[in-house]
Amino acid sequence: MNMMKTKAENLTDLADRYGSDKGSTKHRYTELYHMLFHPYRQRKITFLEMGLLIGGPEHGVDKDRETNDCPSIRMWLEYFPKAEIHGLDVSDFSWFEHDRFTFHRCDMDVREEIAKVAGEMPAPDIIIDDASHASHHQQNAFLELFPKLVSGGLYIIEDLRWQPKPYEKPGITKTAALFRSFQNDRRFSHSDPAVAEEFNALIPEISACIVEPVRYQKHRRDQVAVIHKR
């Protein structure tokens, strides 16, 4: 008799099944995420992902485009069977209905809109920024949402190596360089002193920061940042 038990799907298995680019076919983020998130898997957490489907305004498509799938949200709902999942996007995904999913429509150019979303949801345990990847959008979101993260929570910023031409501001400090400056000097350096001041005010709340290159190959460019809340 075969006594071997069928092993549960890990996060990469789920990403590949649902067609998320976070899995083995492209970015391989799920290899890292499964290690980080597995202890949360059966907990009643609050999870927020920003950016729900590739092909938005960062690729020159109108924000009012028709959307027809949420591959990573489907993945998270299965991976975290007790979690409340929140999704944020500039396009409309209100058609996607699930008793553990809440959608927030938000323009990340406007910090007040991000702050409004933060006020509409419980304090998140995990946040993933997979939105436009524009540097100022990533930085706006971090400044508004990281303080809302629970103690011990994780904040992740994806796709650091690519910034969209329709959104990226000339001369702005890239988010990867911003977090590398913190790793190197324990201070944030930014082309805008006011932004640097806001980031440096958050240092007492940061217990760890790692920046990983593309596919975890050290000769490649920075790709994903993980920041742990003290």
Side-chain angles (χ1 to χ4, degrees), residues 142-207:
F142 188 86
L143 290 171
E144 292 297 334
L145 294 169
F146 184 76
K148 307 292 185 181
L149 201 63
V150 301
S151 177
L154 295 167
Y155 193 108
I156 295 168
I157 307 171
E158 295 184 352
D159 295 356
L160 296 172
R161 68 178 178 83
W162 180 81
Q163 291 77 44
K165 290 181 179 179
Y167 279 137
E168 190 70 1
K169 292 183 175 181
I172 190 172
T173 298
K174 308 300 184 189
T175 304
L178 180 65
F179 281 98
R180 283 292 183 192
S181 71
F182 172 70
Q183 287 185 313
N184 294 336
D185 305 319
R186 311 312 291 173
R187 298 285 294 172
F188 288 100
S189 297
H190 197 281
S191 56
D192 185 334
V195 174
E197 183 178 359
E198 284 194 82
F199 269 88
N200 283 315
L202 294 176
I203 289 175
E205 298 186 57
I206 297 173
S207 70

Side-chain angles (χ1 to χ4, degrees), residues 65-101:
R65 62 184 171 138
E66 182 179 353
T67 60
N68 56 16
D69 197 9
C70 289
S72 61
I73 294 299
R74 296 183 194 277
M75 173 183 74
W76 298 127
L77 285 165
E78 184 164 344
Y79 187 75
F80 296 113
K82 300 177 183 178
E84 293 295 326
I85 307 294
H86 292 254
L88 179 156
D89 203 284
V90 70
S91 298
D92 185 15
F93 289 82
S94 60
W95 55 266
F96 185 87
E97 296 183 356
H98 190 282
D99 59 1
R100 292 188 290 109
F101 175 71

Side-chain angles (χ1 to χ4, degrees), residues 82-139:
K82 300 177 183 178
E84 293 295 326
I85 307 294
H86 292 254
L88 179 156
D89 203 284
V90 70
S91 298
D92 185 15
F93 289 82
S94 60
W95 55 266
F96 185 87
E97 296 183 356
H98 190 282
D99 59 1
R100 292 188 290 109
F101 175 71
T102 303
F103 173 66
H104 308 267
R105 193 167 187 182
C106 176
D107 184 343
M108 295 178 73
D109 257 336
V110 185
R111 282 185 59 173
E112 291 79 7
E113 290 193 20
I114 304 172
K116 181 174 181 291
V117 170
E120 292 173 347
M121 61 183 296
D125 297 88
I126 299 170
I127 297 174
I128 293 181
D129 184 349
D130 185 21
S132 76
H133 314 307
S135 299
H136 67 291
H137 286 182
Q138 293 168 334
Q139 294 160 25

Side-chain angles (χ1 to χ4, degrees), residues 9-12 14 18 30 33-43 47 72-83 85 100 126:
E9 288 182 295
N10 66 24
L11 189 54
T12 300
L14 293 175
Y18 284 113
T30 51
Y33 296 168
H34 186 70
M35 290 189 286
L36 294 174
F37 299 166
H38 193 265
Y40 294 86
R41 191 166 187 178
Q42 298 298 326
R43 290 173 51 188
F47 182 102
S72 61
I73 294 299
R74 296 183 194 277
M75 173 183 74
W76 298 127
L77 285 165
E78 184 164 344
Y79 187 75
F80 296 113
K82 300 177 183 178
I85 307 294
R100 292 188 290 109
I126 299 170

